[in-house]
Amino acid sequence: MAIVFQLDKSGNPSPEITCDGCGGVINDHTHGVAILEAPGAEEPGKVLKPIFLCNGCEEKTDKTAGPRRKVPIDQFLVQMVNNVQLLPTDLEAVGRRMMAKHW
């Protein structure tokens, strides 16, 4: 999973998604996808690690990859937020704290 943190000039870590194919930064959720291998029915409980690919790398591997599930990055992140039970009010509070800190 290629979520990394890059330090800004003030030394604060900023999360970024990098392409597992070329290593470039995916700056916009529409410029890439999250990919999960498709588990078989005989594999309940199997842990799947997402792979992030930019649109260019995803097009190159689309023809050669085995069975997999492709998810838009924004949808993947919303599913992740739901899994850790963050409510919209929690996200709003975090957004307000971030704005107060950085502005």
Side-chain angles (χ1 to χ4, degrees):
M1 186 164 145
I3 295 178
V4 297
F5 288 83
Q6 183 174 7
L7 295 178
D8 64 14
K9 292 179 182 179
S10 302
N12 296 316
S14 176
E16 293 184 340
I17 297 175
T18 58
C19 174
D20 286 311
C22 67
V25 175
I26 301 173
N27 291 316
D28 186 310
H29 70 89
T30 62
H31 296 164
V33 294
I35 296 176
L36 299 170
E37 62 182 278
E42 69 281 350
E43 301 177 282
K46 180 178 180 180
V47 175
L48 303 175
K49 296 180 182 179
I51 297 169
F52 292 100
L53 293 177
C54 66
N55 289 338
C57 289
E58 193 269 328
E59 287 175 9
K60 291 176 190 172
T61 62
D62 205 21
K63 299 171 189 156
T64 60
R68 60 189 188 165
R69 206 172 127 218
K70 183 170 36 173
V71 181
I73 290 176
D74 57 347
Q75 182 180 337
F76 173 82
L77 293 174
V78 168
Q79 288 174 347
M80 199 166 73
V81 166
N82 285 336
N83 285 343
V84 295
Q85 300 176 3
L86 275 175
L87 300 173
T89 53
D90 298 328
L91 294 175
E92 290 172 14
V94 169
R96 284 192 296 274
R97 285 195 308 265
M98 287 177 63
M99 293 300 287
K101 181 180 178 182
H102 295 291
W103 299 103

